[in-house]
Structure formats: C-alpha cells, structure tokens
Amino acid sequence: MAVISCEARRSRIGVFVGSFNPPHIAHLFLVQDAMQEFGLDLVYVVADRLVKYKALVNLVHRQKMIDLLFGAYPGVLTQFSAKDDERFENAELWDIHRTIEEAHPDDDVYLILGASTLEWYVTQFPEHSLEVVRQFIVCRRDEDSIVCNTLARC
C-alpha cells in the first residue's frame, strides 16, 4: 500500500509597500507578474505612511486610488483591520513586513520591491539593510517588461 503525504503546501504571501503617489498601471503589472511567476496566493498592497523624502498626497486619497487600481484583482488585499492600520501608522517598511509575517507564521512571506527601491533602502538605512526580511522578490523595469527575481536569506 502506497503512503501519500497529506502535508499542506505553505501559502506564499507577498508584501508590496510603496508610496503609491500615485498608484499606476506598472504597480499592477508588477503585482500580477510576481503573483504568476512565484505562485503567490495573496499580496498585501500597503501605502507607506512614513515617506520622509517626498511630499505625498493625503493617505486617504492614495488609499482610494490603491483600492480602485487593485480592488478587482483576485488575491490582492488593500484593506486592513483597524488593528493592523494602527500598527502600520508609524511603521517603516520592515515593520509592516514583520506585522504581516507575524499574521502568517506558517506561510512563506516575501517582500516585493523594485530594484531601485531596494538600492535606496540599503543606502538610506544601512543600519537596517532590511536584515529582518528573509525573502525578497525584486523587480526591475526593462524597456518592455518587468522582470522579477527572488532573493532568499537563510
């Protein structure tokens, strides 16, 4: 008699944090490509609340634009509980990632970043260098497409 393993596959969760000032079609393409390429089951799209390096449109307006852009796409979550919204309020990108990772302890959680954003964070926050993030999906823009690759830390 053959033994069949019934071990469930770990869900793959993406976390895409950005200023989304404004959110645009390339953001949607990036999420769609990352979901398809890496088999992500769910992607959290979170507007950054603490961007200090540029002026931002009011968070309420950016959130409405995010909802309009991503709202109809299956597997993308743009609305959060009041508790999570409160935790995101004064959080840096790595804090948001950690919050979502804590909510999904049995899943694989990937931080989705553009290559230029990753470079910016590493130079602006060398004390962190995103050390708390174990798995990344890094996307770079080519002239005709968005190319995503995974980076993993053990």
Side-chain angles (χ1 to χ4, degrees):
M1 178 176 203
V3 177
I4 299 173
S5 173
C6 292
E7 186 175 322
R9 177 179 83 78
R10 292 168 59 97
S11 291
R12 302 181 102 191
I13 311 296
V15 180
F16 187 28
V17 180
S19 62
F20 301 109
N21 194 47
H24 51 77
I25 198 70
H27 292 129
L28 179 62
F29 290 160
L30 186 148
V31 168
Q32 289 173 333
D33 289 352
M35 288 182 83
Q36 291 171 2
E37 182 74 21
F38 301 103
L40 300 178
D41 301 296
L42 178 67
V43 173
Y44 288 85
V45 177
V46 184
D48 197 335
R49 275 91 161 143
L50 287 179
V51 177
K52 299 170 187 156
Y53 58 92
K54 62 181 172 181
L56 295 176
V57 171
N58 176 292
L59 176 62
V60 172
H61 296 300
R62 287 186 292 135
Q63 187 62 52
K64 286 180 182 177
M65 290 186 283
I66 289 168
D67 294 342
L68 286 170
L69 181 63
F70 292 98
Y73 198 79
V76 177
L77 185 62
T78 62
Q79 294 291 321
F80 309 99
S81 69
K83 178 182 173 187
D84 283 340
D85 258 343
E86 186 177 309
R87 290 178 74 178
F88 295 163
E89 190 62 35
N90 293 308
E92 295 285 359
L93 173 127
W94 45 84
D95 299 319
I96 293 168
H97 177 271
R98 184 175 45 242
T99 296
I100 293 171
E101 203 170 46
E102 288 168 359
H104 296 276
D106 297 324
D107 299 322
D108 293 323
V109 180
Y110 298 83
L111 181 62
I112 302 171
L113 289 173
S116 59
T117 303
L118 177 60
E119 290 170 12
W120 185 87
Y121 267 101
V122 170
T123 57
Q124 292 298 309
F125 301 99
E127 70 278 9
H128 285 289
S129 299
L130 297 171
E131 292 173 357
V132 296
V133 179
R134 292 191 300 271
Q135 300 181 103
F136 294 88
I137 295 175
V138 180
C139 303
R140 64 181 163 74
R141 283 182 243 181
D142 286 343
E143 283 186 32
D144 299 322
S145 64
I146 297 172
V147 179
C148 298
N149 297 301
T150 58
L151 299 174
R153 279 204 190 107
C154 299

